[in-house]
Amino acid sequence: MPRILVCDDDKEIVEAIEIYLRHEGYDVVCAYNGQDALRTLETASVQLAILDIMMPYLDGIRTVVKLREMHNLPVIFLSAKSGDSDKVLGLNLGADDYVTKPFNPLELLARVRAQLRRFTALGSEVCGENVWQSGGLKVDDERKEVSVNGDVIKLTPVEYKILKHLCANAGRVFAIEQIYTAVWNEVPLSVANTVAVHIRRIREKIEINPKEPKFLKVVWGLGYKVEKY
Amino acid sequence: MGTKSKSIRCAAFIALAVFIASVGAGCLSYGLIVGGDFSLVWDAPEFGRSMRAQTMTGQALEWAWQLHYTAADPVSERHDAFKANLTYPRPFYYHVQEMAMSATTNVTIPAGETVETFFRQLPLYDSFTFEKMRLVAYVGLAEPAFRELATAYYAERERVFQAFYFVVGGVVLLLLGAVSYAVATWHATDVTLPHKLLWKYIPLDLALGALLGLSLFGARLMVASRELYQGTKLEEPLLVGSAIGIGLTLLGLLWVNMTVQRLKHGKFWRHTLVGTVLLWGLRLFPMLWELRLFSKNAVTMQAVLFVVYAGASAFLVLALANIGTVLTAVIAFGLLVAINVVATLYVVSHAKAVENMVLGTAAIRRGETAYFAPTKWHKDINALAAHVNDIVAGLERAIASRMKAERLKIDLITNVSHDLKTPLTSLITYIDLLRREGLSAESAPRYLEILAQKSERLRILTNDLIEAATVASGSVAVNWEEIHVPSLVGQGLGELSDRIAAKQLDFRVTADGEPLHVRADGKLLWRAVENVLTNVLKYAVPASRVYVDMVSVGNSVRLTIKNISALPLNIPPEELLERFVRGDEARSSEGSGLGLSIAKSLVELQQDT
């Protein structure tokens, strides 16, 4: 079973996370500051790290920077800092995911699962033609199939068309009218809600936390896009 | 060597100096009194010429004058009368000829000799001619009389020379004594002790003047005393004169003492009239200067400068109009050009300085920090620049302290949010663990459900509170984009479609006019709109209509959302936007009371200049 490093200066939180993870069947090692975490990583084989940012001695950001010099394993930040700039900083410096406190335990578990699956199972899949991949999201037009981190997702035809259109042009922002024209092949007339509702439904199906989407993102006042990885 | 022996040697030296000076003064007095008239010293050493000039000439002239006065009388009578008046003691010859008549005294002119040849052979003679009266007078001295007079003259000369040596020696001794005294006093003066002020309020230079005046007066008296006593019985004037001379010398030494002491103390000038006047002048002059030109106003200065310039110009123009020669015309024209060039340069440099100030203050108004260097010529601009510099410095300080306060506020929010969220995380996770694993009590699931609900509510409240604080502090980065408002509203309604459907609300969206784009941060604007829409979802009457109107107003879009409140609203509209104000006074519904306040702050945050 994969071993997970949990590091937070609040012992109760570490313990709670440990309980959840053990319940799911993971092996867990604990640390209470950045130095501890790095030391543990040197001795034990660890497949994923959950790090707090505000910690004594060595904070999470510096820990990740040092960790990235030696190891290649997914890191999830777990922080009370919820500002956009904090998230951008954490992700840019080498973290793979960012969960804010107070967190939903189920969401954390889902993210842990997703990261582990990508790390262990989906390391290097070659994309065929008419297969688009973005992060853990994969749209296979051959089989008309959508999967997230390996799990096949069931979508309605319209939802599938929208997602395929966005994935085929990953990174590009599509206005609501453009999506409507492409998917419905009709002239759009006050269709904001229709497209928006479909998009929300897709997000609810493919995202771990639909309120903080990772794959299908809203560009407010402009349209929607699928991140290009 | 001890100080005592030093002071004794000083005292002895001073006494010697005083003695020498006194002896000098005595000698000088003696010489002056005995010598009387010193003209003999630098007069011709030969008797003949001197006699002619000094004695005989005067006498003969007097005689001739008297003759002239009595011109009305016959010559013989006049001559006889005049002869009787002659008091000259020694034998001499006298001959006067007026018109045809002539008169002679003691003269027997040998035959075959003219009057002139007779007088020429005498050792001393003189002749006078008065053209108007056709009068010729001859005065001559016989050999024995001449010798007697010459002997007396040389004796007198000898005496005067002796007196003169006394005078010179006296002056030398006096100076020697004074200088020695000054040197001794200089060495005896101790700077650490306060100097003895014998005359504190009499300035030194004034005292010196008075002393010199007195000395000159005394010397004149001494010189005159010989004439007064007719060269005899000089004991009395000698005694008095020496006393006066020595007294004046002692006074002079006192002056030397004072002066030397003050010189050594470095306070000489302060005790002189000249120094005092100069000092007062030096103090007074800058005061006047300051009063007149700088502290009063720069306008006076400018006016003075302009009057000088205008006056000089007018004078030179007048001069040019009246001047005849080419050279002076060229000079006047050159000067006129020169002063106008100087005036132009001055005006231009002043205007430049003003322009510099205008540009600099404009930069300051834009928010840059600019400081002004002082100009070389323009005091008024310098004062203005100094004041502006002060204002800018104050502004910089205020901005710096404001930035610091802002940073502290952000740090505070970060720390508080961390400290609130960490225990909340434990709370939520452990409640969730309890719900999974269960408690043995019968009603435990119900209690745990309540705990879960309340901790969730606490979580929402905390997040809202931190967001409200962050947004209100203005420490949120704004990414400016062109936002299409109807799209944003449509996306939002799509996001909320489930909750809208659950409440059976009927949204009526209208968009009016073009353009419906605004410059804003899409994410922040959405959060503002979302808060308002969530507010609608919470408080609107179920199954009622909600109107969303977008109207293009110039550069902006007015977004209006109207709904019917489920609860009676007894609150002024502005107050609804305050923090923690909620429509339901019982505060029983979900929500933190921060939604609209955050929305307001978010919109304010995106209000560009």
Side-chain angles (χ1 to χ4, degrees), chain A residues 8-16 19-20 23-24 52 54 79-82 84 100-106 109 176-177 192-193 196-197 199-201 203-204 210 218-224, chain B residues 414-415 417-419 421-426 428-433 436-437 459 463 466 481-498 507 509 517 522-523 526-527:
Chain A
D8 195 313
D9 58 325
D10 192 303
K11 293 195 171 143
E12 285 74 24
I13 290 177
V14 173
E15 202 190 325
I19 294 167
Y20 279 110
H23 205 262
E24 291 289 308
D52 185 20
M54 291 163 89
S79 174
K81 289 185 166 186
S82 55
D84 286 345
T100 55
K101 286 181 191 174
F103 55 89
N104 181 342
L106 293 177
L109 284 176
I176 293 165
E177 285 82 1
N193 282 9
V197 171
I199 296 272
R200 185 175 59 74
R201 294 218 176 108
R203 234 172 31 225
E204 277 164 5
V218 187
V219 184
W220 292 103
L222 295 174
Y224 301 92
Chain B
T414 312
N415 293 335
S417 90
H418 176 262
D419 291 356
K421 282 175 175 179
T422 306
L424 200 56
T425 308
S426 289
I428 287 169
T429 28
Y430 281 100
I431 288 167
D432 188 68
L433 280 173
R436 277 160 183 253
E437 295 177 6
R459 184 182 72 80
N463 280 345
I466 287 159
E481 296 164 311
E482 282 293 326
I483 303 295
H484 187 230
V485 181
S487 291
L488 185 124
V489 170
Q491 287 174 312
L493 291 177
E495 295 296 315
L496 299 170
S497 58
D498 278 2
F507 272 77
V509 183
H517 285 85
K523 233 175 184 173
W526 163 243
R527 266 153 75 188

Side-chain angles (χ1 to χ4, degrees), chain B residues 121-138:
Chain B
Q121 63 173 10
L122 293 174
L124 190 67
Y125 90 101
D126 209 349
S127 67
F128 309 96
T129 334
F130 292 94
E131 289 289 337
K132 272 189 183 165
M133 294 158 66
R134 273 179 275 170
L135 179 147
V136 179
Y138 289 93

Side-chain angles (χ1 to χ4, degrees), chain B residues 176-197:
Chain B
L176 188 71
V179 169
S180 322
Y181 181 76
V183 170
T185 313
W186 179 270
H187 283 292
T189 304
D190 190 350
V191 190
T192 53
L193 299 173
H195 59 282
K196 296 157 217 149
L197 293 166

Side-chain angles (χ1 to χ4, degrees), chain B residues 473-485:
Chain B
S473 79
S475 60
V476 177
V478 179
N479 299 310
W480 297 102
E481 296 164 311
E482 282 293 326
I483 303 295
H484 187 230
V485 181

Side-chain angles (χ1 to χ4, degrees), chain A residues 44-91:
Chain A
S45 140
V46 171
Q47 277 70 46
L48 184 138
I50 299 174
L51 292 178
D52 185 20
I53 288 183
M54 291 163 89
M55 286 189 299
Y57 308 125
L58 195 64
D59 66 27
I61 301 281
R62 289 182 207 188
T63 309
V64 160
V65 172
K66 288 210 168 179
L67 184 150
R68 280 279 172 253
E69 290 171 2
M70 325 267 290
H71 306 279
N72 175 30
L73 76 168
V75 174
I76 299 176
F77 266 142
L78 188 63
S79 174
K81 289 185 166 186
S82 55
D84 286 345
S85 56
D86 298 314
K87 289 180 190 171
V88 169
L89 181 72
L91 293 172

Side-chain angles (χ1 to χ4, degrees), chain B residues 326-343:
Chain B
V326 174
L327 182 69
T328 44
V330 164
I331 290 171
F333 184 72
L335 281 174
L336 196 59
V337 168
I339 65 164
N340 273 291
V341 164
V342 169

Side-chain angles (χ1 to χ4, degrees), chain B residues 381-417:
Chain B
I381 301 287
N382 285 355
L384 182 61
H387 294 163
V388 174
N389 283 349
D390 281 355
I391 292 169
V392 172
L395 214 59
E396 265 200 325
R397 274 198 299 280
I399 289 169
S401 76
R402 174 93 181 269
M403 296 272 277
K404 199 180 164 199
E406 210 61 45
R407 262 202 312 281
L408 284 177
K409 206 153 79 178
I410 294 164
D411 285 353
L412 185 75
I413 291 167
T414 312
N415 293 335
V416 167
S417 90

